[in-house]
Amino acid sequence: MKSKLFIKSSSLTYSIGSIFFLLIIGCSNQELNSNSFSEDTTSIHVISYETPSPSKEGKQVYDTIAHFPKEGEWRKILMIQRIKCDQATKRDKFPCGEWDYSTNTSIFINKNDSTEEQIEINSFVTPYGLRLNLTEDGWEYIWDVTDYAPILKGDQRIEHGNNQELHDLKFVFIKGKPSRNVLKVENIWPYGNYKYEDLALNTVLKSKKLPLLKEGKGFRLKARISGHGHFGPYNCCEWDEKIHSYRFSDESVINWNVWKDCGHNPIHPQGGTWQFDRAGWCPGTAIDTYDFEVVSQVENDSLTVDYQIEMFEENGEKDGNYLMSHQLITYGSANFKNDAAILEIITPNNALRYRRNLNINDGTPTIKVRNNGSQIIKNIQFKYGVKGKNNLKYTWYGSLNFLDEQTITLPQLSIKNLDSSVTFYVVIDAVNNNLDEQHLNNYAESIWDLPSYFPNEIILSIKTNDNNRATENSYIIIDNNNKIIKNRVEFPENTTFSDTLTLNPGIYTWIIKDQKQDGMIRHWWERNSNPDKVGINGEILFKNMVGDTIAAPTYDFADFYSLTFRVK
């Protein structure tokens, strides 16, 4: 039997921060100057913070008509969601709803029989609202929804979100030729909430033979799955990972594991158990989307696909459930041969999404690119640096097939004589030693907040947990060359200890880790069932030599927390 491993889509989620980051035009093989130009865009504002929070009765969702452009060619379509806490929300008495809830954004298409078909374009789980800080302007998410271009036309009914937070929702249509035209989007099976037992026994989501457009040249299956419920010994299906599969008529199979690492969740701290891994989702994040290119499974202008999941055990877990959407996207041929696209700047970047990344602001640029052209990319030439300060060059060598993505680390920047906040830029100058055919996706920039200055002598004071949890923690300090300056692997139990550090001028990153992904917060969730296991909170303080606090990292950090600083 032929098999194929999964690829989790990273193209759905872009950056959290200014939309300006994604709308910059850069020109290859031209000298950069101080001017930036926004691409020709159309913005459709569907919901604002002034839109009344949905009622506590009925569906409790925003339900409105979106007036999308009736025509146009769009290089990219972005959906921008902002949420914020406010007393105007109607879920409960808190500015942000206390619990985490599954929500989605769906377009409802009128069918010939006067009914509507729901097509989900994104799915999102709200964060726990207590102790939550979404900032005054709200937390911003940006998702690429270009795959849904055929249904984001004209007047369409849209349902979105719920009444946990206030929402602002807009769509940005960026003019230009896409990497390939989207010809059709369709549900394979209806979006819905499915019981694990029914899925495993194949009483639902049975094999389907899908007729394909003759003009279609590319085909993608798009799966969006989240597990819920607390059944069986492992609390299926929220806290239990399972293997999911697509099987095809040629006996090939695509397997993937629906499981999401929540320890790096940038929205923290939250009021609930936000830090622990779950089946496809974390509180305050989108549900993972998995994209699979399946042109090789096409037979005689049709695609036969069957969804399957690993069989349950007779321990009660079969009563868990999954929220699911399964879709088929049909494309035309690639519109470019030689086209590399910058998808995002991971570091340096002060956007909230990236604040859990290591080396977020130490001058090590990390970017993600994708091959949007039909030719294999063997090399990409970059220019990058700080606007108005320097202009460095780097050539990446490798092999990228059509639609493959690659995270690239560029040589480190010098941050001497830089202000506290600067603009970092990167531009693709050439691809395969030739001009890139699509220059509109060759440039990106981000705001870079440089590390704060610490004195050369500092005191690190740490109050540890009790209940034998201190052994879970360790910390390390490294310099700009990744040389270990300090490595403490033993924390004494239920004690406040201090390490005095004397450092030479340079850049340093401090990283604290927790082996069980629960940080140094007390186990408040044990207060009813096991009150003796609640314990105490830890505390972390950086101080100068006279005892003044210069930094106080959170103790509720899940699996790790990092802090970069400079010493003069």
Side-chain angles (χ1 to χ4, degrees), residues 442-475:
N442 285 355
Y443 182 89
E445 62 182 46
S446 61
I447 301 301
W448 176 15
D449 291 335
L450 277 79
S452 299
Y453 283 104
F454 280 19
N456 70 314
E457 289 188 310
I458 55 177
I459 298 171
L460 175 54
S461 174
I462 298 180
K463 177 184 176 182
T464 63
N465 295 119
D466 55 358
N467 289 336
N468 296 315
R469 290 181 54 208
T471 57
E472 302 170 12
N473 300 122
S474 63
Y475 81 74

PDB file of all heavy atoms in Angstrom, residues 442-475:
ATOM      1  N   ASN A 442       7.932  39.891  -3.138  1.00  0.00           N
ATOM      2  CA  ASN A 442       9.371  39.770  -2.897  1.00  0.00           C
ATOM      3  C   ASN A 442       9.887  40.611  -1.736  1.00  0.00           C
ATOM      4  O   ASN A 442      11.076  40.548  -1.431  1.00  0.00           O
ATOM      5  CB  ASN A 442      10.152  40.189  -4.151  1.00  0.00           C
ATOM      6  CG  ASN A 442      10.098  39.130  -5.232  1.00  0.00           C
ATOM      7  OD1 ASN A 442       9.560  38.053  -5.017  1.00  0.00           O
ATOM      8  ND2 ASN A 442      10.634  39.434  -6.391  1.00  0.00           N
ATOM      9  N   TYR A 443       9.035  41.398  -1.113  1.00  0.00           N
ATOM     10  CA  TYR A 443       9.514  42.344  -0.094  1.00  0.00           C
ATOM     11  C   TYR A 443       8.635  42.257   1.148  1.00  0.00           C
ATOM     12  O   TYR A 443       7.419  42.108   1.069  1.00  0.00           O
ATOM     13  CB  TYR A 443       9.465  43.771  -0.645  1.00  0.00           C
ATOM     14  CG  TYR A 443       9.983  44.830   0.303  1.00  0.00           C
ATOM     15  CD1 TYR A 443      11.325  45.171   0.319  1.00  0.00           C
ATOM     16  CD2 TYR A 443       9.132  45.480   1.191  1.00  0.00           C
ATOM     17  CE1 TYR A 443      11.811  46.145   1.195  1.00  0.00           C
ATOM     18  CE2 TYR A 443       9.600  46.442   2.060  1.00  0.00           C
ATOM     19  CZ  TYR A 443      10.939  46.773   2.064  1.00  0.00           C
ATOM     20  OH  TYR A 443      11.410  47.726   2.924  1.00  0.00           O
ATOM     21  N   ALA A 444       9.278  42.351   2.290  1.00  0.00           N
ATOM     22  CA  ALA A 444       8.535  42.418   3.554  1.00  0.00           C
ATOM     23  C   ALA A 444       9.358  43.213   4.549  1.00  0.00           C
ATOM     24  O   ALA A 444      10.585  43.300   4.450  1.00  0.00           O
ATOM     25  CB  ALA A 444       8.243  41.020   4.092  1.00  0.00           C
ATOM     26  N   GLU A 445       8.685  43.774   5.517  1.00  0.00           N
ATOM     27  CA  GLU A 445       9.369  44.502   6.577  1.00  0.00           C
ATOM     28  C   GLU A 445       8.612  44.310   7.884  1.00  0.00           C
ATOM     29  O   GLU A 445       7.435  43.950   7.896  1.00  0.00           O
ATOM     30  CB  GLU A 445       9.518  45.983   6.243  1.00  0.00           C
ATOM     31  CG  GLU A 445       8.228  46.745   6.081  1.00  0.00           C
ATOM     32  CD  GLU A 445       8.471  48.204   5.689  1.00  0.00           C
ATOM     33  OE1 GLU A 445       9.287  48.461   4.801  1.00  0.00           O
ATOM     34  OE2 GLU A 445       7.808  49.080   6.284  1.00  0.00           O
ATOM     35  N   SER A 446       9.312  44.538   8.978  1.00  0.00           N
ATOM     36  CA  SER A 446       8.718  44.376  10.300  1.00  0.00           C
ATOM     37  C   SER A 446       9.334  45.382  11.251  1.00  0.00           C
ATOM     38  O   SER A 446      10.440  45.893  11.020  1.00  0.00           O
ATOM     39  CB  SER A 446       8.947  42.948  10.827  1.00  0.00           C
ATOM     40  OG  SER A 446      10.340  42.686  10.953  1.00  0.00           O
ATOM     41  N   ILE A 447       8.620  45.657  12.325  1.00  0.00           N
ATOM     42  CA  ILE A 447       9.150  46.509  13.384  1.00  0.00           C
ATOM     43  C   ILE A 447       9.979  45.641  14.325  1.00  0.00           C
ATOM     44  O   ILE A 447       9.536  44.579  14.760  1.00  0.00           O
ATOM     45  CB  ILE A 447       8.020  47.214  14.151  1.00  0.00           C
ATOM     46  CG1 ILE A 447       7.187  48.066  13.175  1.00  0.00           C
ATOM     47  CG2 ILE A 447       8.596  48.091  15.259  1.00  0.00           C
ATOM     48  CD1 ILE A 447       7.969  49.132  12.444  1.00  0.00           C
ATOM     49  N   TRP A 448      11.169  46.122  14.626  1.00  0.00           N
ATOM     50  CA  TRP A 448      12.109  45.382  15.458  1.00  0.00           C
ATOM     51  C   TRP A 448      12.375  46.184  16.725  1.00  0.00           C
ATOM     52  O   TRP A 448      12.995  47.235  16.687  1.00  0.00           O
ATOM     53  CB  TRP A 448      13.398  45.140  14.676  1.00  0.00           C
ATOM     54  CG  TRP A 448      14.511  44.470  15.432  1.00  0.00           C
ATOM     55  CD1 TRP A 448      14.446  43.809  16.615  1.00  0.00           C
ATOM     56  CD2 TRP A 448      15.886  44.403  15.017  1.00  0.00           C
ATOM     57  NE1 TRP A 448      15.671  43.338  16.983  1.00  0.00           N
ATOM     58  CE2 TRP A 448      16.579  43.683  16.010  1.00  0.00           C
ATOM     59  CE3 TRP A 448      16.579  44.862  13.904  1.00  0.00           C
ATOM     60  CZ2 TRP A 448      17.941  43.435  15.925  1.00  0.00           C
ATOM     61  CZ3 TRP A 448      17.930  44.602  13.823  1.00  0.00           C
ATOM     62  CH2 TRP A 448      18.608  43.902  14.817  1.00  0.00           C
ATOM     63  N   ASP A 449      11.847  45.703  17.843  1.00  0.00           N
ATOM     64  CA  ASP A 449      12.121  46.313  19.144  1.00  0.00           C
ATOM     65  C   ASP A 449      13.399  45.707  19.690  1.00  0.00           C
ATOM     66  O   ASP A 449      13.450  44.508  20.000  1.00  0.00           O
ATOM     67  CB  ASP A 449      10.957  46.063  20.112  1.00  0.00           C
ATOM     68  CG  ASP A 449       9.705  46.826  19.713  1.00  0.00           C
ATOM     69  OD1 ASP A 449       9.829  47.858  19.039  1.00  0.00           O
ATOM     70  OD2 ASP A 449       8.605  46.374  20.072  1.00  0.00           O
ATOM     71  N   LEU A 450      14.432  46.516  19.806  1.00  0.00           N
ATOM     72  CA  LEU A 450      15.722  46.001  20.230  1.00  0.00           C
ATOM     73  C   LEU A 450      15.726  45.672  21.714  1.00  0.00           C
ATOM     74  O   LEU A 450      14.939  46.213  22.488  1.00  0.00           O
ATOM     75  CB  LEU A 450      16.829  47.004  19.904  1.00  0.00           C
ATOM     76  CG  LEU A 450      17.345  46.915  18.460  1.00  0.00           C
ATOM     77  CD1 LEU A 450      16.399  47.620  17.510  1.00  0.00           C
ATOM     78  CD2 LEU A 450      18.738  47.480  18.335  1.00  0.00           C
ATOM     79  N   PRO A 451      16.634  44.783  22.140  1.00  0.00           N
ATOM     80  CA  PRO A 451      16.678  44.380  23.551  1.00  0.00           C
ATOM     81  C   PRO A 451      17.008  45.555  24.464  1.00  0.00           C
ATOM     82  O   PRO A 451      17.748  46.469  24.091  1.00  0.00           O
ATOM     83  CB  PRO A 451      17.798  43.333  23.588  1.00  0.00           C
ATOM     84  CG  PRO A 451      17.978  42.884  22.178  1.00  0.00           C
ATOM     85  CD  PRO A 451      17.618  44.052  21.329  1.00  0.00           C
ATOM     86  N   SER A 452      16.472  45.493  25.672  1.00  0.00           N
ATOM     87  CA  SER A 452      16.779  46.503  26.683  1.00  0.00           C
ATOM     88  C   SER A 452      18.210  46.311  27.194  1.00  0.00           C
ATOM     89  O   SER A 452      18.804  45.239  27.062  1.00  0.00           O
ATOM     90  CB  SER A 452      15.798  46.384  27.857  1.00  0.00           C
ATOM     91  OG  SER A 452      14.478  46.596  27.428  1.00  0.00           O
ATOM     92  N   TYR A 453      18.731  47.369  27.795  1.00  0.00           N
ATOM     93  CA  TYR A 453      20.058  47.303  28.403  1.00  0.00           C
ATOM     94  C   TYR A 453      19.947  46.896  29.866  1.00  0.00           C
ATOM     95  O   TYR A 453      19.112  47.416  30.604  1.00  0.00           O
ATOM     96  CB  TYR A 453      20.763  48.654  28.297  1.00  0.00           C
ATOM     97  CG  TYR A 453      21.332  48.941  26.930  1.00  0.00           C
ATOM     98  CD1 TYR A 453      20.705  49.830  26.069  1.00  0.00           C
ATOM     99  CD2 TYR A 453      22.509  48.318  26.506  1.00  0.00           C
ATOM    100  CE1 TYR A 453      21.235  50.103  24.813  1.00  0.00           C
ATOM    101  CE2 TYR A 453      23.037  48.571  25.251  1.00  0.00           C
ATOM    102  CZ  TYR A 453      22.400  49.469  24.406  1.00  0.00           C
ATOM    103  OH  TYR A 453      22.912  49.728  23.159  1.00  0.00           O
ATOM    104  N   PHE A 454      20.776  45.951  30.267  1.00  0.00           N
ATOM    105  CA  PHE A 454      20.930  45.557  31.664  1.00  0.00           C
ATOM    106  C   PHE A 454      22.325  45.978  32.129  1.00  0.00           C
ATOM    107  O   PHE A 454      23.255  46.085  31.313  1.00  0.00           O
ATOM    108  CB  PHE A 454      20.814  44.032  31.814  1.00  0.00           C
ATOM    109  CG  PHE A 454      19.405  43.500  31.825  1.00  0.00           C
ATOM    110  CD1 PHE A 454      18.339  44.250  31.339  1.00  0.00           C
ATOM    111  CD2 PHE A 454      19.140  42.238  32.319  1.00  0.00           C
ATOM    112  CE1 PHE A 454      17.052  43.741  31.350  1.00  0.00           C
ATOM    113  CE2 PHE A 454      17.852  41.727  32.334  1.00  0.00           C
ATOM    114  CZ  PHE A 454      16.806  42.482  31.846  1.00  0.00           C
ATOM    115  N   PRO A 455      22.494  46.199  33.426  1.00  0.00           N
ATOM    116  CA  PRO A 455      23.844  46.440  33.942  1.00  0.00           C
ATOM    117  C   PRO A 455      24.700  45.183  33.787  1.00  0.00           C
ATOM    118  O   PRO A 455      24.178  44.074  33.629  1.00  0.00           O
ATOM    119  CB  PRO A 455      23.615  46.796  35.410  1.00  0.00           C
ATOM    120  CG  PRO A 455      22.277  46.236  35.743  1.00  0.00           C
ATOM    121  CD  PRO A 455      21.464  46.278  34.489  1.00  0.00           C
ATOM    122  N   ASN A 456      26.025  45.363  33.866  1.00  0.00           N
ATOM    123  CA  ASN A 456      26.897  44.207  33.663  1.00  0.00           C
ATOM    124  C   ASN A 456      26.896  43.255  34.861  1.00  0.00           C
ATOM    125  O   ASN A 456      27.283  42.093  34.741  1.00  0.00           O
ATOM    126  CB  ASN A 456      28.318  44.651  33.345  1.00  0.00           C
ATOM    127  CG  ASN A 456      29.009  45.277  34.547  1.00  0.00           C
ATOM    128  OD1 ASN A 456      28.418  46.108  35.237  1.00  0.00           O
ATOM    129  ND2 ASN A 456      30.245  44.889  34.798  1.00  0.00           N
ATOM    130  N   GLU A 457      26.431  43.731  36.008  1.00  0.00           N
ATOM    131  CA  GLU A 457      26.242  42.874  37.168  1.00  0.00           C
ATOM    132  C   GLU A 457      24.761  42.856  37.527  1.00  0.00           C
ATOM    133  O   GLU A 457      24.161  43.911  37.769  1.00  0.00           O
ATOM    134  CB  GLU A 457      27.068  43.356  38.358  1.00  0.00           C
ATOM    135  CG  GLU A 457      28.562  43.143  38.201  1.00  0.00           C
ATOM    136  CD  GLU A 457      29.313  43.464  39.481  1.00  0.00           C
ATOM    137  OE1 GLU A 457      29.080  44.554  40.028  1.00  0.00           O
ATOM    138  OE2 GLU A 457      30.109  42.620  39.935  1.00  0.00           O
ATOM    139  N   ILE A 458      24.173  41.675  37.542  1.00  0.00           N
ATOM    140  CA  ILE A 458      22.751  41.546  37.837  1.00  0.00           C
ATOM    141  C   ILE A 458      22.540  40.384  38.796  1.00  0.00           C
ATOM    142  O   ILE A 458      23.368  39.466  38.901  1.00  0.00           O
ATOM    143  CB  ILE A 458      21.903  41.313  36.561  1.00  0.00           C
ATOM    144  CG1 ILE A 458      22.408  40.097  35.781  1.00  0.00           C
ATOM    145  CG2 ILE A 458      21.875  42.559  35.693  1.00  0.00           C
ATOM    146  CD1 ILE A 458      21.574  39.781  34.549  1.00  0.00           C
ATOM    147  N   ILE A 459      21.404  40.437  39.478  1.00  0.00           N
ATOM    148  CA  ILE A 459      20.987  39.361  40.374  1.00  0.00           C
ATOM    149  C   ILE A 459      19.723  38.733  39.801  1.00  0.00           C
ATOM    150  O   ILE A 459      18.748  39.437  39.520  1.00  0.00           O
ATOM    151  CB  ILE A 459      20.713  39.891  41.791  1.00  0.00           C
ATOM    152  CG1 ILE A 459      21.985  40.495  42.390  1.00  0.00           C
ATOM    153  CG2 ILE A 459      20.184  38.773  42.682  1.00  0.00           C
ATOM    154  CD1 ILE A 459      21.730  41.220  43.694  1.00  0.00           C
ATOM    155  N   LEU A 460      19.752  37.440  39.613  1.00  0.00           N
ATOM    156  CA  LEU A 460      18.571  36.690  39.186  1.00  0.00           C
ATOM    157  C   LEU A 460      18.010  35.970  40.398  1.00  0.00           C
ATOM    158  O   LEU A 460      18.635  35.057  40.941  1.00  0.00           O
ATOM    159  CB  LEU A 460      18.932  35.696  38.081  1.00  0.00           C
ATOM    160  CG  LEU A 460      17.814  34.757  37.605  1.00  0.00           C
ATOM    161  CD1 LEU A 460      16.578  35.523  37.181  1.00  0.00           C
ATOM    162  CD2 LEU A 460      18.314  33.865  36.476  1.00  0.00           C
ATOM    163  N   SER A 461      16.828  36.406  40.831  1.00  0.00           N
ATOM    164  CA  SER A 461      16.179  35.840  42.015  1.00  0.00           C
ATOM    165  C   SER A 461      14.980  35.009  41.579  1.00  0.00           C
ATOM    166  O   SER A 461      14.096  35.495  40.862  1.00  0.00           O
ATOM    167  CB  SER A 461      15.728  36.957  42.960  1.00  0.00           C
ATOM    168  OG  SER A 461      14.984  36.444  44.046  1.00  0.00           O
ATOM    169  N   ILE A 462      14.946  33.750  42.010  1.00  0.00           N
ATOM    170  CA  ILE A 462      13.873  32.838  41.612  1.00  0.00           C
ATOM    171  C   ILE A 462      13.286  32.159  42.838  1.00  0.00           C
ATOM    172  O   ILE A 462      14.012  31.548  43.632  1.00  0.00           O
ATOM    173  CB  ILE A 462      14.383  31.774  40.619  1.00  0.00           C
ATOM    174  CG1 ILE A 462      14.881  32.439  39.335  1.00  0.00           C
ATOM    175  CG2 ILE A 462      13.285  30.753  40.311  1.00  0.00           C
ATOM    176  CD1 ILE A 462      15.398  31.468  38.301  1.00  0.00           C
ATOM    177  N   LYS A 463      11.971  32.276  42.990  1.00  0.00           N
ATOM    178  CA  LYS A 463      11.229  31.542  44.019  1.00  0.00           C
ATOM    179  C   LYS A 463      10.652  30.295  43.367  1.00  0.00           C
ATOM    180  O   LYS A 463       9.904  30.381  42.388  1.00  0.00           O
ATOM    181  CB  LYS A 463      10.109  32.410  44.593  1.00  0.00           C
ATOM    182  CG  LYS A 463       9.233  31.704  45.610  1.00  0.00           C
ATOM    183  CD  LYS A 463       8.089  32.615  46.052  1.00  0.00           C
ATOM    184  CE  LYS A 463       7.142  31.900  46.989  1.00  0.00           C
ATOM    185  NZ  LYS A 463       5.998  32.774  47.386  1.00  0.00           N
ATOM    186  N   THR A 464      10.979  29.128  43.885  1.00  0.00           N
ATOM    187  CA  THR A 464      10.604  27.876  43.240  1.00  0.00           C
ATOM    188  C   THR A 464       9.287  27.330  43.781  1.00  0.00           C
ATOM    189  O   THR A 464       8.788  27.749  44.826  1.00  0.00           O
ATOM    190  CB  THR A 464      11.712  26.822  43.420  1.00  0.00           C
ATOM    191  OG1 THR A 464      11.862  26.547  44.823  1.00  0.00           O
ATOM    192  CG2 THR A 464      13.023  27.323  42.866  1.00  0.00           C
ATOM    193  N   ASN A 465       8.753  26.351  43.050  1.00  0.00           N
ATOM    194  CA  ASN A 465       7.512  25.679  43.458  1.00  0.00           C
ATOM    195  C   ASN A 465       7.776  24.648  44.546  1.00  0.00           C
ATOM    196  O   ASN A 465       8.909  24.258  44.814  1.00  0.00           O
ATOM    197  CB  ASN A 465       6.870  24.975  42.259  1.00  0.00           C
ATOM    198  CG  ASN A 465       6.413  25.930  41.182  1.00  0.00           C
ATOM    199  OD1 ASN A 465       6.886  25.862  40.056  1.00  0.00           O
ATOM    200  ND2 ASN A 465       5.483  26.811  41.506  1.00  0.00           N
ATOM    201  N   ASP A 466       6.675  24.190  45.148  1.00  0.00           N
ATOM    202  CA  ASP A 466       6.730  23.080  46.090  1.00  0.00           C
ATOM    203  C   ASP A 466       6.175  21.823  45.414  1.00  0.00           C
ATOM    204  O   ASP A 466       6.088  21.767  44.189  1.00  0.00           O
ATOM    205  CB  ASP A 466       5.965  23.430  47.376  1.00  0.00           C
ATOM    206  CG  ASP A 466       4.527  23.853  47.102  1.00  0.00           C
ATOM    207  OD1 ASP A 466       4.122  23.905  45.916  1.00  0.00           O
ATOM    208  OD2 ASP A 466       3.790  24.127  48.077  1.00  0.00           O
ATOM    209  N   ASN A 467       5.796  20.828  46.203  1.00  0.00           N
ATOM    210  CA  ASN A 467       5.204  19.584  45.690  1.00  0.00           C
ATOM    211  C   ASN A 467       6.105  18.878  44.666  1.00  0.00           C
ATOM    212  O   ASN A 467       5.621  18.312  43.675  1.00  0.00           O
ATOM    213  CB  ASN A 467       3.817  19.845  45.093  1.00  0.00           C
ATOM    214  CG  ASN A 467       2.778  20.165  46.139  1.00  0.00           C
ATOM    215  OD1 ASN A 467       2.922  19.788  47.308  1.00  0.00           O
ATOM    216  ND2 ASN A 467       1.732  20.875  45.747  1.00  0.00           N
ATOM    217  N   ASN A 468       7.413  18.945  44.897  1.00  0.00           N
ATOM    218  CA  ASN A 468       8.390  18.255  44.047  1.00  0.00           C
ATOM    219  C   ASN A 468       8.362  18.724  42.593  1.00  0.00           C
ATOM    220  O   ASN A 468       8.728  17.967  41.681  1.00  0.00           O
ATOM    221  CB  ASN A 468       8.170  16.733  44.099  1.00  0.00           C
ATOM    222  CG  ASN A 468       8.396  16.157  45.474  1.00  0.00           C
ATOM    223  OD1 ASN A 468       9.373  16.492  46.134  1.00  0.00           O
ATOM    224  ND2 ASN A 468       7.483  15.297  45.911  1.00  0.00           N
ATOM    225  N   ARG A 469       7.987  19.967  42.380  1.00  0.00           N
ATOM    226  CA  ARG A 469       7.931  20.479  41.017  1.00  0.00           C
ATOM    227  C   ARG A 469       9.180  21.261  40.628  1.00  0.00           C
ATOM    228  O   ARG A 469       9.415  21.503  39.436  1.00  0.00           O
ATOM    229  CB  ARG A 469       6.694  21.367  40.842  1.00  0.00           C
ATOM    230  CG  ARG A 469       5.378  20.613  40.867  1.00  0.00           C
ATOM    231  CD  ARG A 469       4.207  21.557  40.673  1.00  0.00           C
ATOM    232  NE  ARG A 469       4.368  22.347  39.468  1.00  0.00           N
ATOM    233  CZ  ARG A 469       3.851  23.565  39.296  1.00  0.00           C
ATOM    234  NH1 ARG A 469       3.173  24.149  40.270  1.00  0.00           N
ATOM    235  NH2 ARG A 469       4.038  24.219  38.167  1.00  0.00           N
ATOM    236  N   ALA A 470       9.987  21.684  41.595  1.00  0.00           N
ATOM    237  CA  ALA A 470      11.162  22.493  41.268  1.00  0.00           C
ATOM    238  C   ALA A 470      12.133  21.734  40.361  1.00  0.00           C
ATOM    239  O   ALA A 470      12.868  22.347  39.565  1.00  0.00           O
ATOM    240  CB  ALA A 470      11.873  22.938  42.542  1.00  0.00           C
ATOM    241  N   THR A 471      12.125  20.410  40.444  1.00  0.00           N
ATOM    242  CA  THR A 471      13.036  19.614  39.616  1.00  0.00           C
ATOM    243  C   THR A 471      12.674  19.680  38.133  1.00  0.00           C
ATOM    244  O   THR A 471      13.474  19.260  37.287  1.00  0.00           O
ATOM    245  CB  THR A 471      13.017  18.145  40.063  1.00  0.00           C
ATOM    246  OG1 THR A 471      11.675  17.638  39.993  1.00  0.00           O
ATOM    247  CG2 THR A 471      13.531  18.014  41.500  1.00  0.00           C
ATOM    248  N   GLU A 472      11.488  20.199  37.805  1.00  0.00           N
ATOM    249  CA  GLU A 472      11.071  20.305  36.406  1.00  0.00           C
ATOM    250  C   GLU A 472      11.755  21.469  35.701  1.00  0.00           C
ATOM    251  O   GLU A 472      11.744  21.541  34.468  1.00  0.00           O
ATOM    252  CB  GLU A 472       9.548  20.497  36.309  1.00  0.00           C
ATOM    253  CG  GLU A 472       8.728  19.391  36.947  1.00  0.00           C
ATOM    254  CD  GLU A 472       7.259  19.758  37.044  1.00  0.00           C
ATOM    255  OE1 GLU A 472       6.860  20.766  36.415  1.00  0.00           O
ATOM    256  OE2 GLU A 472       6.506  19.060  37.747  1.00  0.00           O
ATOM    257  N   ASN A 473      12.346  22.404  36.468  1.00  0.00           N
ATOM    258  CA  ASN A 473      12.815  23.668  35.897  1.00  0.00           C
ATOM    259  C   ASN A 473      14.329  23.712  35.735  1.00  0.00           C
ATOM    260  O   ASN A 473      15.084  23.069  36.474  1.00  0.00           O
ATOM    261  CB  ASN A 473      12.375  24.841  36.766  1.00  0.00           C
ATOM    262  CG  ASN A 473      10.872  24.935  36.899  1.00  0.00           C
ATOM    263  OD1 ASN A 473      10.322  24.897  38.002  1.00  0.00           O
ATOM    264  ND2 ASN A 473      10.190  25.054  35.767  1.00  0.00           N
ATOM    265  N   SER A 474      14.757  24.490  34.765  1.00  0.00           N
ATOM    266  CA  SER A 474      16.166  24.786  34.544  1.00  0.00           C
ATOM    267  C   SER A 474      16.245  26.087  33.756  1.00  0.00           C
ATOM    268  O   SER A 474      15.256  26.522  33.156  1.00  0.00           O
ATOM    269  CB  SER A 474      16.848  23.660  33.762  1.00  0.00           C
ATOM    270  OG  SER A 474      16.270  23.522  32.469  1.00  0.00           O
ATOM    271  N   TYR A 475      17.423  26.714  33.783  1.00  0.00           N
ATOM    272  CA  TYR A 475      17.595  27.883  32.927  1.00  0.00           C
ATOM    273  C   TYR A 475      18.996  27.896  32.348  1.00  0.00           C
ATOM    274  O   TYR A 475      19.921  27.252  32.850  1.00  0.00           O
ATOM    275  CB  TYR A 475      17.263  29.186  33.660  1.00  0.00           C
ATOM    276  CG  TYR A 475      18.340  29.762  34.552  1.00  0.00           C
ATOM    277  CD1 TYR A 475      19.466  30.390  34.017  1.00  0.00           C
ATOM    278  CD2 TYR A 475      18.216  29.728  35.941  1.00  0.00           C
ATOM    279  CE1 TYR A 475      20.443  30.947  34.845  1.00  0.00           C
ATOM    280  CE2 TYR A 475      19.184  30.277  36.777  1.00  0.00           C
ATOM    281  CZ  TYR A 475      20.296  30.884  36.212  1.00  0.00           C
ATOM    282  OH  TYR A 475      21.262  31.412  37.020  1.00  0.00           O
TER     283      TYR A 475
END
